[in-house]
Amino acid sequence: MALSQAFLDELRRRLTLSTIIGRTVKLTRAGREFKACCPFHNEKTPSFTINDDKGFYHCFGCGAHGDVITYVMHTANMTFPEAVDKLALEAGLEVPKSSPEQVAQARQAASLIDVVEAACHFFEQQLALPAGRDGMAYLQRRGLDPETIRRFRLGWAPAAGLLKGALVREGVTEQQLVEAGLLKLRDDGSLYDYFRERVIFPITDRRGRVIAFGGRILGDGQPKYLNSPDTPIFQKGTVLYGLAQARQPAGATGRIIVAEGYMDVIALSRAGFAEAVAPLGTALTESQIEELWRLADEPILCFDGDAAGQRAALRAAERALPLLRPGKSLRFAVMSGAKDPDELIQSQGASAMNAVLEHANPLLGVLWDNLLAGRDLSTPERRAALEQDVRDLTGRIAERSVQDHYRQAFKERLWTLFHPPRRSSGSGGWTGGQAGGQSGGRYSKPGFGSRGNRQPDRPSLGRVGVGVGLTRQKTEALHRTILLATLITHPELADSVAERLGELDFTDVEMDRLRQATLTILAQHGGLDFSTLSNHLRTHGVGPQLDALLRSNAFTHAAFSRPQADLQSARDGWEHTFALTRQKDLRADIDRMVNQLGQDPSPETFNALLALKNHQRFGGDD
């Protein structure tokens, strides 16, 4: 939108900034200015000032600064043109158009929006009349109260001919009804109502103007859901149902939820999740994904739990790949025991829905699970095919830095998947699980490609973390760092090691913060992998500590702590290192037991001393 400075200055002049801000924020006059608690960050002492004479606001706490247009953009989650349009309407100004063609298009759009708004009002009226009793009964069975019906402007499309007759009497032409997608032209030239005997869900643009409709038939007719055809004011692949209502809540929460249907959005909103939207009966499009990213960095897709819903989620995941860029991705909420969000909320309540959202899977995990689904990896050729599929998948990511990180993440997962199991001593069997099929030939190192059937060396466990050249204090700190690093890279160990890690003393304050955050997250969430746990830790505010750990020398001294190490090596290495941390206490216990044996040479005392000696040998202290 190319607008003259004179127009923007006039827009700012006509609107009093304190009046606009004062609608949602409590203001206190301070001389010629106003003060308030900043709407952009939490504070108890007001540091937000508004100067009407100069036409700007400023927060001395967080640095927020701008004019009336900036304020509306940030608080209402609007683009610059949208904020200007909204304020111009309030100020009684007409936004200048750049060309005669744009003027003509704007006039046509305005005319059609008026027509669609009139149709929406007609549908709302019909729902409240005897003609709409079946529609009202359906909505009430779904648990909708009058306030919800009013807020979402739900309606009823009656039998054929009534809409046309009502709107033509108001001066709307048949041609306008056709252009608005409300009438359809038959092959014989006659016209008929596009929506007939359906519950109506108005579809709005980002500004909340009705531009189209969705209709649900009652009974067994087909299609079950019907959307307006594309028109000059409505293109199905660019619009999200509920967006106008969700924008401000999404700005406040930093989260946007994508459900599959109209009723899911309404159910989520009623349960307190007002930041919910839905595509219009099709797979999520590139345009809709970009729209979602304007509201949140990682939209949560919460599609139905049936096969169709999961296929739609997977299509969205694959469609997002070429669009990925730093900080922009998707997450996927999986519902178990419920078909869709509406059903989950009805049966288990909002808390169950919130738990599903909090455990949403990152895009990487969804793509990986799909790559492995139903796959037999028992031969080298099949494992090579998996590697090729990974290369093809990551090659679709256009942004180079994101593509590199995905390649590395998949390399680590492939290494873990293909790392050979260890033959357990004396049993003749194999230890360590194998995902995705039988082991067969194994890969020698992380990466795409193998070197035949050569088995890689297992990380050495003997004398791990001795810390040659280090003081005893630094060696003990290194051991604790190794223990923490191994648990973070292999969260599957939590059940067997977390309690003991929590009992150790960490002298490094920052590593102790990371340790506590790790144990807290693992206690709250099950089934995490290294990547997902890392995301949780960064969200928890210990990202710098995690980065410091990953740069530390723990991985040099203990190969088993590296992400690509197999789980059994990590488990053995953790136990070995933990035993080293206990050697000082063990030696003191042994000395006390030797003294006790001299005073009480009983079999019980001797067995206790022998057990301590065995424990000491297991820890590697020969």
Side-chain angles (χ1 to χ4, degrees), residues 115-142:
V115 171
V116 175
E117 171 60 33
C120 183
H121 183 64
F122 171 81
F123 292 142
E124 287 180 284
Q125 289 180 321
Q126 292 296 309
L127 182 64
L129 296 175
R133 62 177 176 269
D134 289 343
M136 182 65 76
Y138 166 77
L139 295 174
Q140 290 173 345
R141 285 198 304 273
R142 298 295 297 266

Side-chain angles (χ1 to χ4, degrees), residues 25 174 187 238 251 253 300 365 368 371 403 427 449 457 467 473 494 555 579 594:
V25 178
E174 291 184 350
D187 293 339
T238 65
T253 62
I300 303 174
W368 176 250
L371 283 167
Q403 183 186 107
S427 68
D457 296 330
Q473 184 178 10
F555 302 108
V594 169

Side-chain angles (χ1 to χ4, degrees), residues 69-131:
I69 300 174
T70 308
Y71 184 83
V72 171
M73 288 173 62
H74 289 167
T75 57
N77 231 336
M78 287 186 171
T79 63
F80 178 81
E82 290 169 341
V84 169
D85 284 345
K86 181 180 186 300
L87 293 170
L89 182 64
E90 185 169 346
L93 291 173
E94 183 176 352
V95 179
K97 304 302 177 186
S98 301
S99 67
E101 291 78 10
Q102 287 179 317
V103 173
Q105 291 173 1
R107 286 175 179 167
Q108 182 193 26
S111 175
L112 291 183
I113 285 174
D114 288 340
V115 171
V116 175
E117 171 60 33
C120 183
H121 183 64
F122 171 81
F123 292 142
E124 287 180 284
Q125 289 180 321
Q126 292 296 309
L127 182 64
L129 296 175

